[in-house]
Amino acid sequence: MRVETRPDGRVGGEVVRAVNGLTARWAATAHDGAVFSATGVWPLLAFLADGAAGPARAELAGALGVPAEQAAGAARELLAGLASVSGLEAALGLWAHHGLPLREEWRAGLPAGTHGVFGDDLVTAQERLDGWAAERTGGLVERMPVTLTREARMVLAAALTLRTNWRQPFTELPLRPAAGPWQGRTLRGLHRRSVRPDRVGVAGTPDGFVTALTVPGDHGIDVHLVLGEERMTPGQVLAAGVGVVERGLPLTGGGGLPHGHVGPGLHVEQQPAAEPEPRTLDVTTVSYEVRADHDLLARPALFGLATAMDTRAGHFPGVSPHPLAVGEARQSAVAQFGALGFRAAVVTAVMPAPGGGVPSYRYETTVVRVAFDRPFGFLATDRESRLVLVAGWVTEPAPYAAPGYGPAAR
């Protein structure tokens, strides 16, 4: 793989494929009510790989999808590309214990202004780390996902905050699903109609069919909602969503679908109209807020950390002459979807430790009607590069109440 920064500052295709590859593998393990960001953990793993040796270096490279000797350059390219996306803020932080010497060549490879120091006053140091997380995410993530201990020698963290407003807002209304897990509940429903039927489509996968809807935001950010057949797992649906985003999974757009039930939650039908109208797209979905905390060491093979967890030996001689192993690695994430827009924030940290009236209808129009009224997946992406920034699974939509209640993502 060749890593090079594009003149426009955007992330190159090789890095996007590597990061999205980790997203797809993580998505395969997704469960109910999940939200996660491979983009938020990938640069941390890359910088660790740059300073690793032996089996730990090989495992990290395998998880990253890039050679270890190119990992730091790819991480810098990714961070520079994220900085060029409007509506997205990304930051990297490194804090080392005052007794831990760092190799200058490794530290110099991190972005400028990244390095800090903490001492033996862990209460004060933890407050500083928590304050960094809250500040970098606008308060959406209030604290660092790792807790300093006496054994902690370093914290390497990344924060990601995404805010986008819909080009066409939704209208809030009560939604009462007639079937499925949300039957009998009154939800904060969202509805809108447009003349862009190809924003929704159907794709076939070995696991079943999926319906995918693109909701465009400003700043070049898109949020994709993905609904699978009821027998499909969250992981299968989200993995299909990554394929749709990367255009590796063929999608038949709503403008070319026949009449009838054509996909999960998707129908094409004739409806009466007062005037001649083009084929339209009618969308019903729900407002939601999803929060999740992930222990990355619970799936060490996924993140290439199995060997690095072994505290009986040091695995990062390129980081410090003192032996280091990964003592803790966690991610905290939140995503909010509402009538006006989408908000998401992620903090990931790795902590190395030692060892009206009735009208008169004269015409008919074709309506592509899609309803996300049972658990579904979502992927927030950079429209140009197709990099998946945040992904997740919705099981608990917001209840309906008076306007202004709940996670409306305003």
Side-chain angles (χ1 to χ4, degrees):
M1 171 183 145
R2 183 181 178 188
V3 176
E4 57 182 18
T5 303
R6 289 172 42 175
D8 60 3
R10 292 282 179 171
V11 188
E14 296 281 358
V15 175
V16 169
R17 282 189 288 274
V19 179
N20 284 355
L22 181 57
T23 298
R25 294 190 296 275
W26 197 349
T29 71
H31 52 82
D32 292 349
V35 55
F36 61 93
S37 173
T39 300
V41 69
W42 201 92
L44 304 185
L45 300 179
F47 285 121
L48 287 177
D50 182 54
R57 183 178 177 89
E59 288 178 8
L60 282 163
L64 290 165
V66 303
E69 61 272 16
Q70 298 179 18
R76 288 190 292 270
E77 178 187 334
L78 176 61
L79 292 170
L82 295 177
S84 71
V85 179
S86 299
L88 177 68
E89 296 182 11
L92 191 81
L94 167 69
W95 297 266
H97 187 268
H98 64 80
L100 178 72
L102 296 177
R103 296 198 184 278
E104 178 57 28
E105 58 270 27
W106 180 81
R107 191 193 63 79
L110 274 63
T114 298
H115 186 205
V117 176
F118 65 90
D120 294 326
D121 183 352
L122 299 185
V123 173
T124 300
Q126 187 70 49
E127 289 177 350
R128 287 171 50 205
L129 295 183
D130 292 345
W132 182 89
E135 180 183 355
R136 294 302 189 277
T137 63
L140 288 174
V141 177
E142 297 179 350
R143 58 185 60 87
M144 190 71 73
V146 298
T147 301
L148 291 174
T149 64
R150 291 295 175 192
E151 291 73 31
R153 287 297 173 265
M154 190 175 79
V155 175
L156 184 60
L160 190 74
T161 307
L162 172 64
R163 299 175 184 270
T164 190
N165 296 322
W166 308 134
R167 291 179 176 178
Q168 178 190 357
F170 290 85
T171 299
E172 290 188 358
L173 75 174
L175 174 65
R176 301 178 182 89
W182 299 340
Q183 183 179 10
R185 300 171 59 180
T186 302
L187 307 175
R188 181 184 285 265
L190 302 175
H191 176 265
R192 75 181 190 187
R193 180 173 281 208
S194 74
V195 293
R196 300 296 297 273
D198 283 334
R199 293 216 185 278
V200 73
V202 179
T205 78
D207 303 309
F209 287 95
V210 297
T211 295
L213 170 74
T214 300
V215 186
D218 55 12
H219 307 309
I221 300 295
D222 290 334
V223 177
H224 304 264
L225 306 185
V226 191
L227 183 69
E229 297 183 35
E230 293 189 51
R231 61 184 173 82
M232 295 176 68
T233 67
Q236 290 170 338
V237 176
L238 284 170
V242 176
V244 170
V245 168
E246 293 191 322
R247 294 183 177 174
L249 191 62
L251 194 71
T252 302
L257 292 170
H259 288 182
H261 179 207
V262 292
L266 185 62
H267 297 77
V268 179
E269 57 194 37
Q270 292 294 114
Q271 291 186 1
E275 297 179 354
E277 295 179 3
R279 178 173 288 216
T280 57
L281 173 62
D282 188 280
V283 176
T284 299
T285 186
V286 293
S287 177
Y288 61 81
E289 175 177 290
V290 184
R291 291 180 178 269
D293 295 301
H294 303 282
D295 180 1
L296 306 187
L297 297 188
R299 298 186 179 93
L302 176 63
F303 303 102
L305 295 172
T307 296
M309 293 170 56
D310 186 354
T311 57
R312 294 172 298 179
H315 309 286
F316 302 97
V319 174
S320 171
H322 288 200
L324 294 173
V326 174
E328 199 172 353
R330 295 182 179 272
Q331 182 178 93
S332 295
V334 57
Q336 301 172 337
F337 186 108
L340 303 182
F342 180 84
R343 308 287 183 265
V346 179
V347 176
T348 312
V350 178
M351 189 168 69
V358 180
S360 175
Y361 296 113
R362 299 177 51 200
Y363 304 93
E364 284 190 337
T365 183
T366 299
V367 177
V368 181
R369 181 168 53 85
V370 62
F372 294 83
D373 57 2
R374 58 180 172 82
F376 61 91
F378 65 90
L379 304 100
T381 66
D382 173 36
R383 185 178 304 135
E384 181 174 334
S385 68
R386 305 191 178 280
L387 175 68
V388 177
L389 303 168
V390 179
W393 187 257
V394 179
T395 56
E396 287 298 324
Y400 183 77
Y405 174 86
R410 298 183 184 277

